[in-house]
Structures are given as structure tokens and as C-alpha cells.
Amino acid sequence: MNPIQLKARLETLGPATQVEIVDLTGTEDHYQAQIVSPAFEGKMMIEQHRMVFKLVQAEVDSGEVHALTLKTYTPEQYIKAKSKH
Amino acid sequence: MNTTNPLVSKVEEISKSASAVIFMKGTPQFPQCGFSARACQVLRAAGVQDLVGVDVLSDDPLWDALEQYTQWPTVPQIFIHGKFIGGCDIVSEMFERGELQEALNAVKN
């Protein structure tokens, strides 16, 4: 699964979902994804992560995606987090 | 949730026995894994006084029941006021955002 495919897949979380993908090793199977989406509203971080992993369950199970570390935010959380740095 | 396994309800009971409970490798005093150690550090830094640690290495059946209960594949697993919060990465990230302190200060609902 290449970065473009992964980005498109994660954008299916819903409208106004912003996804940034980093291929950590250049081998297209160790990714970090930063996702900002209204779909995360009112959800604990663990539930946000579960929503994301559900989208790539097949690729994770098959090992096509070996590692995926996540940074998830609602739009409001993202503004708050970025205002600190 | 598979309720036929009696150990699952034991996991639930333990998870509610303190404001913060961590199922981990080793104990808070003697952690046997870096992620477990870091999670304990973060919880203390967030102000947890009564951290309860459960060593899954010494109780395989309980470890299986834990994974059935939370449907989360890795350890450590952290509960705040009886609610499953996540593993080391999530707890560390929540700490950085101040969300962990919020969860701890939230009165048990």
C-alpha cells in the first residue's frame, strides 16, 4: 500500500478530513499518519485510533502495512495542540 | 465482549479498583519492559498517587482475558476510573495534550 493509497483510504473517515502521511522507512509499510477530522468529535483518543485501524484492518492483518503510528485530532484539538508549539 | 470467560469480569473488577490501573509487564516498582516503565512514569507525572499495577507476565489466563475485554493486542494497558484509555503511546500523547490530567480529574461518572 503506497502513501497515496493510504492517504485516500484514511480520507474516507469523512468530509473535511485532513491526512498527512510519513513513510518512516521508505519501504511503504512503516507509516506515521496525522489525521484531523470532525469525525473524531467527542471520541476518546483510543476510539479515534480504533476508527482509523478499522479502515486498514485487512492491510495490517496481511502485513502489507507493518506499522502505523497515529496522531489523531479533532479540528479543535489540532488548533489547540499547534498553538502550544 | 465474550462474557463466558469468568476472568473477563475479574479484569473489569480490577480495572475499577483504583483511579489508575495498569496491566503491564512487571510491576510499577520493577517494570520488565520499557513501554510499561514509561507508562508508569507518565501516570505518576500526571499526579496518580494510587497506581495499581497488574503483572500479566505472571498470569497468562488473565492476560488473555484482558485482551478479550479490551480487544487491544498489546500491553501495557491503562485504565482511568475503570475506563480503558489505551497503551503507552496514547497515554503519553494524552499527557502531552493535558487530556490525561483531565481524565484523572474527571469525577467517576
Side-chain angles (χ1 to χ4, degrees), chain B:
Chain B
M1 187 172 66
N2 172 342
T3 50
T4 52
N5 179 350
L7 280 178
V8 170
S9 42
K10 186 178 174 200
V11 166
E12 188 176 3
E13 201 187 295
I14 297 170
S15 74
K16 296 187 160 108
S17 61
S19 63
V21 173
I22 178 167
F23 289 83
M24 60 182 289
K25 291 177 180 171
T27 64
Q29 293 74 22
F30 300 104
Q32 303 296 318
C33 128
F35 291 110
S36 290
R38 194 162 130 230
C40 290
Q41 244 175 355
V42 166
L43 289 164
R44 287 196 196 97
V48 171
Q49 310 285 344
D50 61 342
L51 179 59
V52 166
V54 180
D55 180 11
V56 295
L57 291 177
S58 60
D59 193 335
D60 248 357
L62 191 72
W63 193 346
D64 292 337
L66 172 70
E67 288 183 350
Q68 266 178 44
Y69 180 55
T70 58
Q71 297 294 301
W72 191 257
T74 55
V75 156
Q77 295 192 19
I78 292 97
F79 292 78
I80 303 283
H81 297 313
K83 235 164 128 184
F84 177 55
I85 294 293
C88 182
D89 287 350
I90 284 179
V91 164
S92 306
E93 178 71 16
M94 285 178 72
F95 177 68
E96 247 174 66
R97 299 187 196 180
E99 289 177 15
L100 186 57
Q101 294 82 329
E102 262 170 49
L104 281 161
N105 299 333
V107 177
K108 266 194 262 184
N109 37 31

Side-chain angles (χ1 to χ4, degrees), chain A residues 44-46 48-50 53 69 71-73 77 80-81 84, chain B residues 70-72 83-86 90 93-94 96-99 102:
Chain A
M44 288 199 320
M45 196 177 291
I46 181 118
Q48 297 174 354
H49 284 210
R50 282 199 213 272
F53 274 110
T69 48
K71 294 257 187 192
T72 55
Y73 302 88
Q77 287 171 336
K80 197 174 150 200
K84 274 196 195 140
Chain B
T70 58
Q71 297 294 301
W72 191 257
K83 235 164 128 184
F84 177 55
I85 294 293
I90 284 179
E93 178 71 16
M94 285 178 72
E96 247 174 66
R97 299 187 196 180
E99 289 177 15
E102 262 170 49

Side-chain angles (χ1 to χ4, degrees), chain A:
Chain A
M1 186 173 222
N2 69 44
I4 296 158
Q5 289 166 323
L6 179 58
K7 187 170 188 298
R9 177 78 59 82
L10 298 185
E11 283 166 348
T12 63
L13 270 171
T17 295
Q18 292 160 344
V19 177
E20 271 170 45
I21 301 286
V22 175
D23 180 345
L24 296 171
T25 55
T27 52
E28 296 194 343
D29 59 2
H30 289 67
Y31 286 110
Q32 177 171 317
Q34 177 182 289
I35 307 156
V36 183
S37 176
F40 291 146
E41 299 283 357
K43 297 217 161 36
M44 288 199 320
M45 196 177 291
I46 181 118
E47 286 153 7
Q48 297 174 354
H49 284 210
R50 282 199 213 272
M51 286 167 71
V52 176
F53 274 110
K54 216 190 304 180
L55 294 173
V56 288
Q57 195 61 57
E59 286 78 10
V60 169
D61 290 347
S62 70
E64 190 180 336
V65 170
H66 183 74
L68 175 60
T69 48
L70 298 177
K71 294 257 187 192
T72 55
Y73 302 88
T74 61
E76 195 195 327
Q77 287 171 336
Y78 184 67
I79 294 160
K80 197 174 150 200
K82 288 310 155 194
S83 66
K84 274 196 195 140
H85 299 306

